[in-house]
Amino acid sequence: MASNRNGVQRGSAKFDRPLKPRPRPSSPSPGSALRRATSAARNADAVPGRVRVAVRLRPRNAEEMTADADFADCVELQPELKRLKLRRNNWDSDTYEFDEVLTEFASQKRVYEVVAKPVVESVLDGYNGTVMAYGQTGTGKTFTLGRLGEVDASDRGIMVRSMEDIFADLSPNTDSVTVSYLQLYMETLQDLLNPANDNIPIVEDPRNGDVSMPGATLVEITDQHTFLELLRVGEANRIAANTKLNTESSRSHAILMVHIKRSVLESEDIVSSQNDEASHLTKPSKPLVRKSKLVVVDLAGSERVHKSGSEGHMLEEAKSINLSLSSLGKCINALAENNAHVPFRDSKLTRMLRDSFGGTARTSLIVTIGPSPRHRGETSSTILFGQRAMKVENMLKIKEEFDYKSLSRKLEVQLDKLIAENERQKKSFEDEVEKINLEAQCRIAEVERNFADALEKERLKCQMEYMELVKELEQKLVLNQERHDCNSSVADNGEGPASSSAGEVTEVKMLLETERSRRKAAEEEVEHLKNQLGNHTQTQAGDVEIIKLRNILEDEANKKKRLEEEIIILRSQLLQLNFEADQMRRCLENGSSGSTFSAMDSSRQSQFKDTANGQKSSVATLFEQVGLQKILSLLESDDANVRIHAVKVVANLAAEEANQKRIVEAGGLTSLLMLLRRYEDETVRRVAAGAIANLAMNEANQELIMAEGGITLLSMTASDAEDPQTLRMVAGAIANLCGNDRILMTLRSQGGIKALLGIVRCGHPDVLSQVARGIANFAKCESRASNQGIKSGRSFLIEDGALPWIVQNANNEAAPIRRHIELALCHLAQHEVNAKDLVSGGALWELVRISRDCSREDIRNLARRTLSSVSTFKSELRRLRVDY
């Protein structure tokens, strides 16, 4: 009966002491300091990689030294030639070549470096990788892969050494490693880390064929010590038995899966302010996340029952092992012979290894053999299995995706910080204004008190002078009265002249008049001083303080305006990223990909219709928080970064049909055209052209674009731009305009067709696809106009020189370009007036090809009807004796 390996009963894993992390070197590793973010690694195209196979010979054991003492080994190794000879008899042998030939003296380190290390390095670069051992039972597969090296460190196997290299290259702050350890026993997938989980399902993704085990235990590890503890637990739970060929024969296939998630760090651009000073606002790049998987498979050994002596339950185990290995061999044979059908679903083992053979993983296979001539048949079968596996080709791919969630969280934190900073500055500004107001009021009160005291002193002084003058006059009046009485008495006696009394009275009157005038002058002086006090209060104190306050208020208003613009930019970035993340998620669910600007391709237009509900909330939030007029006003900002972010927001809003009318009514179309006319910044022109392309999807907007000279501006942009994305946006906008019958003549007269033909200089497939779509739209509208009698004569496309390019790209490798060109060619060929030019230009042969080989049935039928209805084509085909 089968027992557990090492005599330990199966049970759940328990740790009696905390796991200590392995000490890391003080200096950062090259992998953690610099990510392998090369252009080759970023390339999404698959890289071919053949399955590498190495053969390892086990030395003779004690039993073989006794039983085979009189016989030579059945295998002869030539490691320097990477060649192996398998003896048939004493005079004849078969020779086989492998990628590596490892003798019985090869060390575990040597085996790891030639077999597994290249796979581990590929996994760290972002590829999936598989290392697998195959061979007869008792030939050293488990020793090669799963040896822990507790007694002798040099005996460490591939599992332990690969994790050492992985931990040395990863950064604990940004990268993560999770491990699952499974066994396939009797066609049942069991969890070695949680024995209670003994029936794990295998799930295949119908979209990309990825295989996953959703019920398996995933343990995140941070150091080598934790990994070794997990391996001990798994080995204790793995099923093994004692047979005639091996005292600890594995009765199950063991699968170790290491999932690695790495973050690729990129630099961030600093947004400069208006004064060319570095601002605290940064424009973050999109973070990349690479997910790779290392699979180490220790297959159970193949055995023959009469040699292993298996009986009862062990016999059933041997049947299950041989059946799964036989299914694996069938899949290898089918892949080596390039058969159309590969029977991956015959066994759970082959379903799990689907990515390793013929998939996207880098795979290394080590086949282990023994030297005994008694097992020559099993040795020969193992060698032939390795030879067939060397013929299997895999297509390696990096699984790389954008981490929108972390970027969104980062922007939200940055936005919260800016809002808090704005509130602090606003509170500080209000406190400063209140403090300045209090100081101004105190100074004004002090000035008023000083002027009031001075005025009171002057009033008292005038009153004292007035009283003294009045007193002096009274004294003089009394004195004069006495003199008058004295003179009267003298006159009565006839002794004094009357003329002296009259002179004195006149003098007194003059003095009284002088005092009155002085009193009036004093009152006028007091009134003048009051006026001076009022003017001085308003001018001297008020003017200086008001000017100072006004300057401070203007500075604070400018700061507030800049902060509001930065907040608007961050909000727009956050909403745009949320929208892009939602769009990417929906695209992945629908199995298609798209672009932000839906106007660039008709297929992307249908994709945006599916995600319209997701956009409504973002657009409503943007209008509610910022407002369309505010966004359009930012298009005229002097800050280039503000202008770029504003035009991006307008472009995203224009992608939704419900917003296009509001944008046009608010003057958004005119502003976008002005951006094309004024600025030479590539980003502004690219995004503005994309927004115009979105607006051009609406037939009402197309005439407005033509009326405001839009086709001329787009043609000028097409002639000046070199960036493929800018040319793609411009071509998409012109292609949308080409689909309107009413503006067909105007579009051609203003150089729209020549602008499209000029764009083909770029050569980028996406750009050429938009050019082909525009030509197809123009040819369709032109054909419709000719059928209705509106237009006569040769096609404008032929007159403008488009026919050679159409013929050249009619059989383009890119399906979108070929489909549009085939449709345009069929529309041109429907009219007899174009037939001679098409024949002389070589288009007739393309029409014949389209009628036979086109993948779309409607285009194929249209080409057949055209060839059979146009007399010029029929006569030429009869002359050439061509059947169509």
Side-chain angles (χ1 to χ4, degrees):
M1 294 298 293
S3 63
N4 290 321
R5 179 180 294 273
N6 300 330
V8 180
Q9 295 296 325
R10 293 177 58 185
S12 59
K14 294 183 179 179
F15 301 99
D16 297 330
R17 54 189 176 84
L19 303 179
K20 297 181 180 180
R22 181 175 64 87
R24 302 184 62 84
S26 58
S27 60
S29 63
S32 60
L34 179 63
R35 293 285 179 260
R36 297 176 174 88
T38 61
S39 59
R42 291 181 183 272
N43 188 5
D45 294 335
V47 178
R50 178 178 59 81
V51 175
R52 291 179 54 82
V53 180
V55 60
R56 186 181 192 186
L57 177 65
R58 173 182 58 77
R60 286 194 177 193
N61 53 32
E63 189 269 336
E64 290 173 344
M65 288 182 179
T66 303
D68 301 333
D70 297 333
F71 300 95
D73 291 348
C74 66
V75 177
E76 179 184 351
L77 302 183
Q78 296 177 340
E80 66 280 356
L81 300 178
K82 298 182 180 180
R83 188 177 297 169
L84 177 148
K85 287 186 177 181
L86 180 63
R87 290 192 177 92
R88 295 182 182 177
N89 45 48
N90 291 334
W91 58 87
D92 193 9
S93 62
D94 295 325
T95 303
Y96 303 94
E97 292 185 356
F98 289 91
D99 294 308
E100 292 291 340
V101 175
L102 303 169
T103 67
E104 64 269 29
F105 306 108
S107 64
Q108 291 281 73
K109 181 179 179 181
R110 165 69 176 166
V111 173
Y112 170 74
E113 289 179 347
V114 301
V115 175
K117 190 169 184 178
V119 177
V120 174
E121 291 176 348
S122 296
V123 170
L124 292 172
D125 285 335
Y127 298 94
N128 290 341
T130 302
V131 179
M132 187 170 67
Y134 179 91
Q136 183 188 7
T137 181
T139 54
K141 299 183 296 302
T142 303
F143 178 84
T144 301
L145 295 182
R147 192 74 169 181
L148 299 182
E150 295 175 326
V151 179
D152 187 356
S154 63
D155 286 343
R156 301 191 314 278
I158 287 176
M159 292 182 182
V160 178
R161 294 178 185 270
S162 61
M163 288 304 299
E164 290 175 354
D165 284 354
I166 289 174
F167 280 123
D169 192 77
L170 294 183
S171 172
N173 297 326
T174 58
D175 305 334
S176 64
V177 179
T178 55
V179 172
S180 60
Y181 200 9
L182 312 173
Q183 71 173 355
L184 183 62
Y185 176 68
M186 300 284 287
E187 283 301 304
T188 301
L189 192 59
Q190 302 175 357
D191 197 336
L192 291 176
L193 303 181
N194 182 16
N197 191 5
D198 57 359
N199 191 10
I200 300 174
I202 300 177
V203 179
E204 296 184 17
D205 192 337
R207 295 176 297 178
N208 51 27
D210 289 346
V211 178
S212 60
M213 281 66 73
T217 300
L218 283 174
V219 180
E220 185 171 356
I221 58 176
T222 57
D223 55 75
Q224 187 72 5
H225 180 73
T226 306
F227 176 69
L228 292 176
E229 289 290 338
L230 293 177
L231 284 184
R232 292 189 187 98
V233 173
E235 287 299 312
N237 292 323
R238 189 177 177 187
I239 297 175
N242 185 4
T243 66
K244 292 181 180 180
L245 297 178
N246 190 358
T247 58
E248 289 187 7
S249 175
S250 301
R251 313 308 290 169
S252 65
H253 307 298
I255 302 100
L256 175 69
M257 293 187 177
V258 182
H259 302 269
I260 300 175
K261 183 179 180 181
R262 310 194 70 179
S263 299
V264 180
L265 303 179
E266 293 183 351
S267 61
E268 297 182 344
D269 299 331
I270 303 300
V271 179
S272 60
S273 61
Q274 294 180 354
N275 299 327
D276 294 335
E277 297 178 354
S279 172
H280 60 278
L281 180 64
T282 60
K283 183 178 68 175
S285 59
K286 295 179 180 178
L288 297 177
V289 176
R290 288 181 181 169
K291 296 180 181 179
S292 56
K293 178 175 64 177
L294 172 64
V295 180
V296 183
V297 184
D298 181 11
L299 295 174
S302 60
E303 61 183 54
R304 295 186 180 180
V305 177
H306 68 277
K307 290 185 178 181
S308 63
S310 299
E311 296 178 352
H313 185 69
M314 290 176 56
L315 179 60
E316 297 300 323
E317 292 175 342
K319 290 180 180 179
S320 176
I321 292 171
N322 291 335
L323 181 62
S324 60
L325 293 178
S326 175
S327 299
L328 178 61
K330 291 179 182 179
C331 293
I332 297 294
N333 291 340
L335 290 170
E337 295 173 1
N338 292 324
N339 290 347
H341 172 68
V342 181
F344 283 115
R345 303 187 66 85
D346 287 356
S347 171
K348 287 188 177 181
L349 176 64
T350 55
R351 290 177 64 190
M352 294 176 63
L353 299 179
R354 185 169 188 170
D355 191 48
S356 303
F357 293 97
T360 61
R362 183 182 295 278
T363 302
S364 285
L365 172 66
I366 179 168
V367 293
T368 58
I369 59 177
S372 175
R374 291 179 298 156
H375 305 303
R376 184 189 179 282
E378 289 83 349
T379 302
S380 175
S381 175
T382 302
I383 292 173
L384 292 177
F385 179 87
Q387 289 288 301
R388 289 190 295 270
M390 290 178 65
K391 299 178 182 180
V392 178
E393 285 279 351
N394 292 352
M395 300 301 292
L396 311 183
K397 284 187 179 180
I398 291 180
K399 187 175 182 181
E400 191 175 71
E401 59 188 34
F402 292 117
D403 193 359
Y404 287 103
K405 291 184 179 179
S406 64
L407 181 58
S408 177
R409 288 193 298 268
K410 183 178 179 181
L411 285 176
E412 287 177 355
V413 172
Q414 191 173 2
L415 178 61
D416 292 338
K417 289 181 179 179
L418 283 175
I419 292 175
E421 180 67 22
N422 183 31
E423 291 178 351
R424 286 194 295 270
Q425 292 185 4
K426 183 179 180 181
K427 184 65 170 61
S428 176
F429 169 73
E430 292 175 352
D431 294 342
E432 186 69 21
V433 170
E434 184 177 357
K435 181 180 178 181
I436 293 174
N437 287 334
L438 290 175
E439 291 180 356
Q441 291 176 3
C442 292
R443 294 184 63 180
I444 291 173
E446 183 180 358
V447 171
E448 289 178 349
R449 285 195 300 270
N450 293 336
F451 273 95
D453 294 342
L455 182 61
E456 184 66 21
K457 291 179 180 179
E458 189 68 24
R459 187 181 65 80
L460 293 175
K461 181 181 178 181
C462 292
Q463 287 181 355
M464 294 296 294
E465 291 179 354
Y466 175 75
M467 294 298 293
E468 290 177 357
L469 288 174
V470 170
K471 186 177 180 180
E472 184 180 353
L473 288 176
E474 288 177 351
Q475 291 175 355
K476 288 183 178 181
L477 180 61
V478 172
L479 181 62
N480 289 331
Q481 187 67 31
E482 292 177 352
R483 288 180 180 178
H484 178 70
D485 293 340
C486 182
N487 291 332
S488 297
S489 61
V490 173
D492 292 339
N493 295 324
E495 294 180 355
S499 60
S500 61
S501 297
E504 290 178 355
V505 170
T506 304
E507 183 179 357
V508 170
K509 288 181 178 180
M510 292 179 62
L511 289 173
L512 286 173
E513 188 67 27
T514 301
E515 291 301 326
R516 289 175 181 171
S517 62
R518 290 178 66 184
R519 180 179 178 182
K520 185 177 181 181
E523 292 176 353
E524 292 177 355
E525 183 68 21
V526 170
E527 186 67 25
H528 181 64
L529 287 174
K530 289 182 178 180
N531 295 333
Q532 283 185 345
L533 176 61
N535 294 334
H536 187 72
T537 302
Q538 296 177 358
T539 57
Q540 183 176 358
D543 289 349
V544 175
E545 297 300 328
I546 289 173
I547 292 173
K548 182 178 179 181
L549 286 172
R550 186 177 298 165
N551 292 332
I552 295 174
L553 288 173
E554 288 179 355
D555 293 339
E556 295 298 331
N558 291 332
K559 292 181 180 178
K560 182 178 180 182
K561 182 179 179 181
R562 287 196 295 270
L563 285 174
E564 288 178 351
E565 291 179 350
E566 292 176 355
I567 291 174
I568 290 173
I569 293 172
L570 281 176
R571 284 176 175 170
S572 64
Q573 282 184 344
L574 180 59
L575 293 172
Q576 181 179 356
L577 286 172
N578 289 332
F579 164 67
E580 290 179 359
D582 184 68
Q583 178 188 357
M584 181 64 70
R585 178 178 60 80
R586 293 176 182 272
C587 290
L588 291 175
E589 291 176 356
N590 296 330
S592 60
S593 60
S595 174
T596 303
F597 302 105
S598 61
M600 298 298 98
D601 191 83
S602 59
S603 63
R604 293 171 186 169
Q605 179 180 355
S606 63
Q607 177 184 334
F608 254 99
K609 290 180 180 178
D610 293 338
T611 58
N613 294 330
Q615 298 180 31
K616 290 181 180 178
S617 58
S618 299
V619 173
T621 304
L622 188 62
F623 284 169
E624 185 177 317
Q625 294 182 356
V626 181
L628 181 59
Q629 290 295 337
K630 181 65 175 179
I631 297 172
L632 293 179
S633 65
L634 292 178
L635 294 175
E636 303 296 329
S637 174
D638 295 333
D639 191 336
N641 292 293
V642 174
R643 189 166 58 249
I644 290 172
H645 285 294
V647 72
K648 286 182 179 180
V649 172
V650 173
N652 284 332
L653 293 176
E656 186 176 354
E657 186 177 357
N659 299 327
Q660 293 179 358
K661 183 177 181 181
R662 298 177 61 183
I663 293 174
V664 173
E665 291 177 351
L669 176 59
T670 303
S671 300
L672 291 172
L673 292 174
M674 291 299 293
L675 289 178
L676 288 182
R677 180 181 291 111
R678 290 182 179 178
Y679 299 104
E680 297 181 357
D681 184 84
E682 195 69 29
T683 303
V684 172
R685 295 199 299 178
R686 179 176 68 251
V687 183
I692 294 172
N694 288 339
L695 294 176
M697 293 180 64
N698 192 320
E699 187 173 351
N701 296 335
Q702 292 174 353
E703 297 182 3
L704 291 176
I705 293 173
M706 296 297 297
E708 296 190 18
I711 190 64
T712 303
L713 293 174
L714 291 172
S715 300
M716 294 172 58
T717 304
S719 62
D720 297 338
E722 296 295 335
D723 179 50
Q725 293 299 324
T726 303
L727 293 173
R728 175 172 168 264
M729 300 300 177
V730 173
I734 299 177
N736 290 338
L737 295 175
C738 287
N740 192 329
D741 296 343
R742 292 193 294 270
I743 62 174
L744 202 64
M745 302 296 182
T746 307
L747 183 116
R748 189 254 180 170
S749 62
Q750 294 183 4
I753 301 302
K754 292 184 178 179
L756 274 180
L757 295 176
I759 293 175
V760 302
R761 70 183 185 277
C762 174
H764 195 278
D766 291 342
V767 178
L768 297 181
S769 176
Q770 296 300 323
V771 173
R773 185 170 68 89
I775 290 177
N777 289 343
F778 192 91
K780 183 177 180 180
C781 293
E782 191 179 44
S783 176
R784 189 162 48 240
S786 298
N787 292 333
Q788 296 173 357
I790 301 174
K791 179 189 177 300
S792 60
R794 288 197 311 165
S795 170
F796 291 147
L797 292 172
I798 296 177
E799 292 182 356
D800 287 347
L803 184 58
W805 186 83
I806 293 174
V807 175
Q808 180 182 357
N809 290 272
N811 197 16
N812 195 289
E813 294 180 355
I817 301 175
R818 183 175 65 253
R819 185 179 67 252
H820 291 308
I821 293 300
E822 288 175 347
L823 187 60
L825 197 58
C826 290
H827 284 302
L828 289 175
Q830 285 182 335
H831 304 284
E832 185 74 35
V833 69
N834 301 325
K836 291 184 179 180
D837 294 299
L838 294 175
V839 171
S840 61
L844 179 59
W845 298 109
E846 293 299 332
L847 285 172
V848 174
R849 181 193 61 78
I850 293 170
S851 67
R852 295 174 177 175
D853 303 332
C854 183
S855 59
R856 286 185 51 175
E857 184 177 359
D858 55 342
I859 300 178
R860 188 167 63 248
N861 293 335
L862 180 61
R864 290 174 180 172
R865 290 197 303 268
T866 302
L867 291 173
S868 60
S869 61
V870 179
S871 58
T872 303
F873 293 153
K874 291 192 294 183
S875 60
E876 184 67 17
L877 291 174
R878 282 196 300 270
R879 185 181 66 84
L880 297 174
R881 298 180 180 178
V882 175
D883 296 329
Y884 54 91

